[in-house]
Amino acid sequence: MSRFSRRGFIRTGLGMAAASWLLPVKNGSAGSRSGGGENAFCAVASGNGSRATEKAMNLMRRGSDPLDAVIAGVNIVEEDPDDASVGYGGVPNEEGVVELDASVMYGPTHAAGAVASLRNIKTPSRVAKLVMERTGHALLVGEGALRFAKAHGFKEEDLLTEKARAIWLKWKETLSDRDFWLSPDEKTIMAELRPYAEHYGTINCLAKNSDGVLAGVTTTSGYAFKLPGRVGDSPIIGAGLYVDNAVGAAGSTGYGEANIRTCGSFLVVQFMSQGRSPEEACLKAMQVVAEKASLLPGLLDAEGRPRFGHSFYALNKKGDFGSASMWSGHTFAVHDGTENKRLESAYLYKRK
Ligand code: ASP
């Protein structure tokens, strides 16, 4: 039985998508994305967020504020032990500890709050909202964020489910052929672990009500097996989330480091402020992410295209919405006031 090294393993994970694509059909567009207009409710989320958009819409219709509505929406996924990428049940860091990142932003006040590397609390999005409302700060991390949550009555809980622990243990056992961790059959391990090594999962949810109030939230357990203390784009205002009540809201999922370096969600909102539709703005920001990534050869495949996935989601003041991904095959969730549906995201590059 052959073993594989940690480096080889990670490279394989990142390169998986690269192996399966064909060619650059640039700027694939998913068509028109019009909502019910300025006076309509709308909720948009990443592809894993259909339950969130449904919940957010129901709450807004009953008079809830859009920020409370999107947070209640993502809480469903944060509290779901079967979702291995967000909140409780998330795949842990390299030491087997679940560390969560989340941010919220509220249009009318342009206020924001975030937590990063938060341990033992199932719903980091709620803590992020308290950072916004009950502190003079915008971001709390690690131990300080945990103490703050406990001061507000949050209960510490073990977030590592049996499923996530088993995934982590298999990864640990396959790190190296020069340690004392012994792995079972390699092929099985590779098949089971690949999705987690690529990690993809974060939920972003954006909403607007009939008074034009915009709000957003992004929450995640971050990359599977990340270094302890690693903070992704989700809790960084301007990267994983940005809301400008005069223009629109945007959020992201995917390769956080590339997005932090380009202030992606801020860019999407800037592009919308210049008159672009949400989908066009997402595509344009994705082009910037791809262009900047091309300066780091390690991030490119043999054909010079990004080896990573990334997605943006956007909603403007008029209730139009859109999404774009680096690669084809991604979806996003939207409740446009009439129907809760999943739509295809536009994309820069087409997979085979
Ligand atoms: N953006 C998240 C991060 O970098 C990961 C993801 O969306 O899958 O932590």
Side-chain angles (χ1 to χ4, degrees):
M1 175 176 68
S2 65
R3 310 276 297 277
F4 48 90
S5 71
R6 176 174 181 276
R7 262 179 207 293
F9 177 70
I10 287 174
R11 232 186 272 125
T12 308
L14 275 172
M16 265 207 29
S20 59
W21 49 54
L22 173 65
L23 80 316
V25 169
K26 282 225 170 184
N27 298 340
S29 171
S32 135
R33 305 303 202 203
S34 291
E38 257 176 63
N39 301 319
F41 294 102
C42 190
V44 174
S46 38
N48 55 352
S50 293
R51 288 178 294 169
T53 48
E54 180 83 45
K55 176 92 183 176
M57 182 57 65
N58 288 337
L59 287 174
M60 286 195 295
R61 279 179 176 149
R62 298 210 302 262
S64 276
D65 183 81
L67 184 56
D68 293 327
V70 291
I71 291 174
V74 301
N75 285 165
I76 298 171
V77 184
E78 287 179 327
E79 288 172 333
D80 180 354
D82 290 326
D83 186 294
S85 62
V86 176
Y88 177 54
V91 177
N93 67 20
E94 67 170 11
E95 291 175 356
V97 179
V98 179
E99 288 186 333
L100 305 176
D101 295 343
S103 62
V104 302
M105 192 156 182
Y106 191 57
T109 52
H110 208 67
V115 288
S117 295
L118 176 63
R119 300 180 173 194
N120 297 351
I121 303 291
K122 274 184 175 171
T123 51
S125 60
R126 288 193 200 160
V127 186
K129 183 174 185 243
L130 283 167
V131 171
M132 179 183 96
E133 290 174 342
R134 304 286 288 271
T135 77
H137 304 311
L139 171 62
L140 294 181
V141 307
E143 184 59 32
L146 176 59
R147 284 196 208 152
F148 173 76
K150 284 164 69 180
H152 277 278
F154 284 80
K155 265 201 334 241
E156 276 198 78
E157 289 168 86
D158 184 0
L159 304 184
L160 190 66
T161 56
E162 270 307 290
K163 178 180 160 194
R165 186 197 55 74
I167 290 163
W168 170 79
L169 182 63
K170 282 184 183 158
W171 172 77
K172 183 88 179 160
E173 287 173 340
T174 55
L175 281 178
S176 155
D177 54 6
R178 272 171 281 167
D179 61 27
F180 293 97
W181 293 81
L182 300 178
S183 67
D185 175 62
E186 178 191 328
K187 277 187 190 143
T188 315
I189 292 163
M190 287 301 282
E192 286 174 9
L193 286 181
R194 266 182 177 153
Y196 300 100
E198 288 181 315
H199 166 53
Y200 286 117
T202 288
I203 180 166
N204 163 248
C205 189
L206 312 166
K208 90 173 246 314
N209 69 9
S210 53
D211 298 325
V213 170
L214 288 160
V217 59
T218 304
T219 178
T220 189
S221 53
Y223 270 111
F225 322 131
K226 63 192 175 184
L227 297 188
R230 179 264 184 183
V231 173
D233 56 333
S234 308
I236 306 297
I237 298 300
L241 179 67
Y242 193 70
V243 180
D244 182 337
N245 219 61
V247 181
S252 72
T253 60
Y255 182 37
E257 280 73 3
N259 192 38
I260 288 172
R261 291 192 285 260
T262 45
C263 304
S265 292
F266 178 77
L267 260 190
V268 173
V269 174
Q270 285 302 105
F271 287 139
M272 289 196 291
S273 79
Q274 294 163 4
R276 290 185 171 86
S277 72
E279 183 181 286
E280 287 164 356
C282 290
L283 271 172
K284 182 93 181 141
M286 195 58 71
Q287 265 164 357
V288 175
V289 172
E291 272 164 34
K292 296 301 180 194
S294 72
L295 302 174
L296 289 170
L299 290 179
L300 304 180
D301 67 10
E303 290 167 56
R305 300 161 309 180
R307 291 200 294 157
F308 56 87
H310 197 69
S311 299
F312 288 119
Y313 315 93
L315 170 63
N316 71 13
K317 189 85 187 146
K318 292 189 287 185
D320 300 334
F321 47 84
S323 165
S325 293
M326 190 66 78
W327 294 93
S328 63
H330 286 267
T331 60
F332 69 107
V334 60
H335 199 313
D336 59 8
T338 312
E339 201 188 352
N340 196 31
K341 52 196 173 190
R342 287 257 298 270
L343 299 174
E344 239 183 87
S345 301
Y347 55 86
L348 278 193
Y349 297 99
K350 187 167 172 57
R351 276 183 210 271
K352 196 174 176 181

